[in-house]
Amino acid sequence: MFKNMIVYRIAPQWQVELTQVEEALAKAPFLECGATQEKSLGWVPPRGDAHGPLAESVGGQWILRFMVETKVLPGSVLARRVKEKAERIEQETGRKPGKKESKELKDEAKLDLLPMAFTKQGSMWVWIDPAARLLVLDTSAQGRADEVVTLLVEALPGLSVSLINTQTSPQAAMSHWLKEQEPPVGFTVDRECELKSATEEKAVVRYARHPLDIEEVQAHIDAGKLPTKLALTWDDRVSFMLTEGLQIKKVAFLDTVFEGTKADDGGFDTDVAIATGELSKLIPDLIEALGGEAESGVASAAQAVAAAAAPAGGGLEAAVPAPPRGKDVVGRAVTGPATAPVDTDPDAAPF
């Protein structure tokens, strides 16, 4: 559970009960693909119980599960079927299909093949911490996260979120930690990183299972290469890989987390309690290590809410600036900065 994380901040004006979330998700349950349907998505019971709740609460932490099913239709198979149809038309009419007709043949061929295609399923854990106002998605692919956030915003009225934005960029912080050999308090630098040049050549240097407190690494940074990934451990309890886009990958709970638990202490509630208990402490510590949280779209939304609630003639309106250009407005989702981080490892995502 939560091997990768993309973290969002929830705007303070969003106040709902778990029952309201359940009712909203129930309108979009996951259903398997129909015979000629290429893709299906929706919500499934996180415990895996048939007809179970779509939103679970464990220790005040809300857990959802998003499911996607797609039909696997190889391009070579589709192309062969289109070619067969085109050759049949040429034999019967003596002419080759035009551009428009070829497109129609492709659509026909796809409808012919979809009922016979294999299906592929993938799921994503979704964690809402209502007290800390955090939304955490178990994926490392920004595009997939955007898809789920969009569905949540459509399903849950008033929900506004923004990617966590820190005062210091992860790349600048990682450069400092490696060059000065000064990891932030509570963290240690592990034995894996990736450095990439900003020049046209885009030269990449990767270290795996290798000490990073060496002059060679510092020389690469002095030469202009910037860290895009860095392995860290927090409090000797959780190891992970931090990326330049503030994505948290390869999350692993270390043995100290499980001290005092029995071998048979398992199940959904225990897994959720352990994961959210540790990560709810790691996330704020990591934000602090990156200089604290910068103003985001949801902060602007909060200001707008406060301004709207202020009594007429009061001084609050003048004190609250208008939302900056490109920032959030009340009731509208913000899924991150103007340019989202590029997916650096889409194959590692759950779907």
Side-chain angles (χ1 to χ4, degrees), residues 35-47:
T36 58
Q37 187 178 0
E38 288 187 71
K39 182 178 181 180
S40 178
L41 47 83
W43 303 97
V44 296
R47 288 185 185 272

Side-chain angles (χ1 to χ4, degrees), residues 276-291:
T276 59
E278 297 297 326
L279 298 176
S280 62
K281 299 172 186 175
L282 183 155
I283 292 170
D285 280 3
L286 180 59
I287 293 173
E288 184 64 25
L290 295 172

